[in-house]
Amino acid sequence: AAKPQTVYEAPGSNSPWQLTLLPRWSEPVVEEMVSMIIDTKETQLRYQASVTPDREDQYFQRLRIPEDMEVDEVNVNCQGTLVPVRWVRRDDQTLVVFFGHSLSRGFQLAVNGRVAVPEHRPFAMPRIHVSRQSSQRQLVFLYGREGTELN
């Protein structure tokens, strides 16, 4: 016999009980990695994510990106096949990637772009991540071009 998810103690009352059923909120499983190739003028960003969808048919993926990021390329690969995509910047920090067809299995998402680097002063490290996974851990690899010192 299956175990109940929840057990309630019913009050002694003649009024009818009411129960509301809602779909369980789930989140995709996402493993993220960002490579930053830093130069004195700009930083190239290479974001890669392995995504296991949270629902059966997924038609898009939202990402949070830096306001000043220029997006050069977006690719989605599902089981070794490139998926046609188009993307739009919904606002300054949201990139929405639309898939050419629904995805119900794991896929890899790659975004390449760049941000300007201010001269001779510290700057905030650019961050790219799946929008609903802001607390998700990610690996960040920093590479300095020749003649660039990272501190």
Side-chain angles (χ1 to χ4, degrees):
K3 292 184 179 184
Q5 285 184 328
T6 307
V7 176
Y8 292 100
E9 183 176 341
S13 168
N14 290 335
S15 62
W17 292 10
Q18 292 190 352
L19 183 66
T20 303
L21 300 175
L22 299 171
R24 181 180 291 184
W25 179 264
S26 63
E27 292 194 359
V29 176
V30 182
E31 295 178 17
E32 298 175 303
M33 179 178 77
V34 177
S35 297
M36 298 182 194
I37 303 164
I38 301 168
D39 199 342
T40 56
K41 302 247 186 266
E42 72 177 14
T43 295
Q44 292 179 358
L45 302 170
R46 295 187 178 156
Y47 171 85
Q48 295 176 313
S50 291
V51 181
T52 302
D54 59 341
R55 55 190 167 276
E56 196 167 301
D57 294 317
Q58 186 163 334
Y59 293 91
F60 65 93
Q61 183 66 61
R62 279 189 189 94
L63 293 169
R64 299 289 290 172
I65 62 173
E67 281 184 38
D68 57 344
M69 180 178 175
E70 294 287 329
V71 177
D72 297 323
E73 181 180 29
V74 177
N75 291 302
V76 172
N77 187 315
C78 185
Q79 296 184 325
T81 303
L82 280 177
V83 175
V85 296
R86 56 187 185 86
W87 71 90
V88 63
R89 204 160 188 156
R90 198 183 86 203
D91 58 40
D92 288 344
Q93 294 182 318
T94 305
L95 182 72
V96 183
V97 180
F98 295 95
F99 310 140
H101 54 80
S102 70
L103 299 178
S104 57
R105 297 189 176 180
F107 60 90
Q108 288 72 44
L109 171 64
V111 177
N112 295 327
R114 56 199 143 71
V115 295
V117 172
E119 271 193 63
H120 309 296
R121 61 185 172 141
F123 68 101
M125 275 188 33
R127 179 110 197 273
I128 305 172
H129 59 90
V130 171
S131 62
R132 289 193 340 221
Q133 299 278 323
S134 61
S135 63
Q136 181 87 10
R137 288 180 147 186
Q138 73 178 205
L139 296 174
V140 178
F141 298 90
L142 300 175
Y143 302 91
R145 292 226 189 259
E146 192 172 323
T148 303
E149 183 177 329
L150 304 176
N151 288 320

